[in-house]
Amino acid sequence: MVRRWLTPWLVLVSVGCGRPDKDVTFPEVSLVLAGGDTTIKNRTSSAFTAPATNLNEEEFNLHGEGDILFEGEFVMAPAPVRPGLGPTFNNTSCRGCHVRNGRGMPVLGENGTLRSPILVRVSLDPTALDRFPEARSLQGPGHGPYPVPGFGTQIQNHAVFGHEPEIGLSLSWEEATGTYPDGSPYTLRKPILGYSGSAEKLAVMQDSGVLRSIRQTPPVVGLGLLEAIPDQTLIDNEDPDDADGDGISGRLNRVWDPVAKTIAIGRFGWKASAPSLIVQTGNAFADDMGVKNPLAPDADGSIEISEDIVRKTAFYTQTLAVPDRIRTNPSALEGEKVFHQIACTGCHTPSLSTDGSSSIAALQNQTFAAFTDLMLHDMGEGLADGRPDYLASGQEWRTPPLWGLGLTGTILPQSGYLHDGRARTLEEAILWHGGEAEASRKAFEKLPKNERGQVIDFLKSL
Ligand code: HEC
Ligand code: HEC
Ligand SMILES: [Ca+2]
Ligand SMILES: [Ca+2]
Ligand SMILES: [Ca+2]
């Protein structure tokens, strides 16, 4: 059944400003190699799995060791290799979700078959603390989200033999239709979560104070470059009060860094809640696979793998090559101009640079085309998850990098776009843009059909 849950769209598309007239710095930007010197020429289904092309021998070898860990299936302890899975978990390997190092797909696996390439984050609204008083003592340092008693901050919907998953999850979809100003119709969909488990657990999930957020697995290429952008570059680009009046008020997330033991700029995850790849990796081992480690130990301090293993796995994600874009499609090159003209670049920053400070030589002094500002933006009610994470509100998301976007279907045809994989096509992903991206989306909708196609061709060329 088709339901219109956002009828105002039909009104919104017919009002508003035209195409913003901006000075366009084109075509210089398109000459930047997608991943600087790390770039590889590969448009096949293995395009995301190559080591950066400029690694030295030592880096190359370390990358190879990390590759094995990223791919390996973990099993219940005690075990001679890769121990520590569970008792509850979402998947048994990094690769199980980051398929061929790309994104997952918007389905939830059942025990014994396909596992979960997406996961659900949960937390307690502070106003519900009187109903869940034990949550106060569960909050970690740095004022992160309040864990939900019995669930923590992430639902593990799988368990090893002899244990129970936290709760069973299912996904269904709600569809809605809309029309472009030129009369062309479109259909959008969004996910609805379902639960199965004991009455006690279902009651917790039905509590309005329990906030939840569905997250699709993002690709992992180029992340070392994003990590090596100097803090100051990002801070200089912040515009929290929209001082330049372009309707876009990007700001950085600031989160607890368990390594530095201080608040740091958040860069990774759909809400930029992880400050570094080592922290993201430590948390992935512990939360997604149940493998406790020195970066994310068990409550009693116990660990199941060494810090060396976490570091090697993180190194792998720091040193993957970025595939270069297609540079010969005239429609895509026209589309790149339009992408600038309708101010998609207000958030999807065409190029950024690292300085010489990275401990990884291959990442030093690189200029690359990630098409992200790593900033949080209010994307409107349509995309809201209602679950704040450090400074990120329930409507804010980090601009995702767009490099490699055109390879999505080649790497895993069932993948979706946006934080929960709701968008089946790039066009749907754009049509969901609201909030600070409202003007940009409206400008896209008003384009003649052939120019909309050029923008899509540009995205597919990345
Ligand atoms: C259950 C599926 C799943 C597993 C298993 C998993 N990930 Fe992820 N990964 C995700 C999701 C979902 C996100 C986005 C998280 C968020 O938004 O907070 C993510 C985010 C990331 C990111 C940040 C990407 C970005 O663009 O910000 C990195 C790096 C990463 N994972 C590495 C790993 C590593 C290393 C492992 C294995 C130790 C792993 N992941 C295991 C699902 C998974
Ligand atoms: C105000 C900032 C902003 C502007 C302007 C903006 N975007 Fe985005 N874009 C985002 C954010 C934030 C997301 C992630 C939203 C989510 O996942 O819910 C996103 C997601 C996307 C995605 C999906 C990426 C993925 O990995 O799934 C595409 C494609 C995209 N944008 C293209 C565009 C195009 C084309 C334009 C211009 C019409 C544009 N964006 C304008 C911030 C912006
Ligand atoms: Ca374990
Ligand atoms: Ca949990
Ligand atoms: Ca601004």
Side-chain angles (χ1 to χ4, degrees):
M1 192 188 75
V2 170
R3 277 190 17 210
R4 290 171 196 277
W5 74 86
L6 279 178
T7 18
W9 286 353
L10 301 175
V11 183
L12 288 175
V13 296
S14 56
V15 297
C17 58
R19 196 192 293 188
D21 257 333
K22 285 223 156 185
D23 281 347
V24 175
T25 49
F26 183 86
E28 292 80 24
V29 167
S30 68
L31 300 179
V32 173
L33 289 180
D37 293 340
T38 75
T39 305
I40 189 164
K41 286 233 175 287
N42 184 339
R43 304 287 296 176
T44 73
S45 62
S46 63
F48 285 0
T49 58
T53 50
N54 60 341
L55 298 181
N56 63 34
E57 196 178 331
E58 193 192 337
E59 291 166 346
F60 186 82
N61 292 338
L62 198 52
H63 178 95
E65 289 186 53
D67 190 358
I68 293 167
L69 293 163
F70 193 89
E71 292 191 357
E73 303 260 336
F74 279 70
V75 295
M76 270 174 86
V81 283
R82 297 191 291 275
L85 181 72
T88 61
F89 62 93
N90 295 95
N91 212 329
T92 53
S93 67
C94 309
R95 173 175 68 167
C97 290
H98 297 273
V99 181
R100 293 187 202 96
N101 294 344
R103 60 185 74 208
M105 49 183 157
V107 295
L108 277 157
E110 296 301 327
N111 258 331
T113 60
L114 190 68
R115 298 235 164 74
S116 301
I118 67 173
L119 55 83
V120 178
R121 299 209 180 287
V122 289
S123 57
L124 263 196
D125 190 306
T127 61
L129 280 170
D130 50 344
R131 293 199 293 289
F132 299 90
E134 60 280 39
R136 279 180 210 280
S137 61
L138 296 175
Q139 192 192 32
H143 300 284
Y146 281 104
V148 180
F151 293 92
T153 52
Q154 179 173 326
I155 295 180
Q156 283 82 18
N157 60 331
H158 298 281
V160 296
F161 184 73
H163 292 261
E164 286 291 310
E166 288 181 334
I167 198 163
L169 294 171
S170 61
L171 271 189
S172 57
W173 298 93
E174 194 175 73
E175 293 204 329
T177 54
T179 15
Y180 285 101
D182 71 6
S184 314
Y186 57 78
T187 308
L188 301 178
R189 61 163 199 183
K190 65 176 180 183
I192 315 284
L193 264 183
Y195 306 95
S196 56
S198 67
E200 200 187 341
K201 285 180 168 176
L202 292 177
V204 175
M205 282 302 135
Q206 269 140 26
D207 193 294
S208 62
V210 176
L211 313 175
R212 52 218 98 186
S213 182
I214 306 175
R215 303 288 172 91
Q216 185 186 217
T217 308
V220 287
V221 291
L223 301 181
L225 292 169
L226 298 181
E227 183 171 52
I229 301 166
D231 278 5
Q232 198 55 48
T233 303
L234 298 176
I235 292 166
D236 290 346
N237 290 344
E238 272 189 299
D239 185 18
D241 306 313
D242 191 16
D244 65 2
D246 65 354
I248 298 178
S249 56
R251 60 186 184 137
L252 297 161
N253 204 351
R254 286 179 170 77
V255 305
W256 179 251
D257 183 338
V259 177
K261 303 232 175 337
T262 178
I263 297 288
I265 290 173
R267 295 179 191 233
F268 301 105
W270 290 98
K271 281 200 196 270
S273 56
S276 65
L277 291 167
I278 185 76
V279 171
Q280 176 77 37
T281 303
N283 287 342
F285 270 121
D287 296 337
D288 303 354
M289 293 153 67
V291 182
K292 304 300 176 186
N293 60 81
L295 286 120
D298 213 351
D300 64 6
S302 62
I303 58 168
E304 295 165 309
I305 53 169
S306 68
E307 180 164 337
D308 188 49
I309 291 199
V310 184
R311 291 213 170 268
K312 283 175 176 159
T313 312
F315 189 83
Y316 177 68
T317 69
Q318 286 169 318
T319 49
L320 284 161
V322 183
D324 203 26
R325 52 183 288 193
I326 297 167
R327 297 179 178 279
T328 47
N329 177 351
S331 174
L333 296 175
E334 282 306 310
E336 181 166 17
K337 289 185 204 161
V338 182
F339 186 81
H340 280 73
Q341 283 161 355
I342 62 177
C344 305
T345 46
C347 305
H348 295 285
T349 310
S351 78
L352 285 167
S353 302
T354 64
D355 63 5
S357 63
S358 173
S359 60
I360 303 170
L363 303 176
Q364 291 169 1
N365 301 311
Q366 297 298 316
T367 296
F368 49 89
F371 293 97
T372 174
D373 56 4
L374 292 185
M375 231 114 35
L376 298 172
H377 297 282
D378 184 327
M379 295 298 285
E381 266 175 41
L383 284 174
D385 66 349
R387 179 184 179 273
D389 205 339
Y390 292 96
L391 296 190
S393 77
Q395 295 205 163
E396 282 177 319
W397 299 99
R398 178 203 67 165
T399 311
L402 302 181
W403 49 18
L405 196 67
L407 287 159
T408 304
T410 308
I411 287 165
L412 186 67
Q414 302 89 337
S415 291
Y417 304 97
L418 299 173
H419 65 270
D420 53 12
R422 65 176 68 188
R424 291 160 290 194
T425 61
L426 292 166
E427 183 187 6
E428 285 183 25
I430 299 170
L431 290 168
W432 276 108
H433 281 55
E436 293 170 40
E438 180 97 9
S440 208
R441 187 205 75 234
K442 281 185 188 159
F444 174 79
E445 287 174 339
K446 285 190 166 182
L447 292 172
K449 199 168 186 171
N450 71 315
E451 289 189 26
R452 293 203 299 268
Q454 289 168 348
V455 173
I456 303 295
D457 281 346
F458 163 63
L459 297 174
K460 285 185 177 160
S461 76
L462 295 178

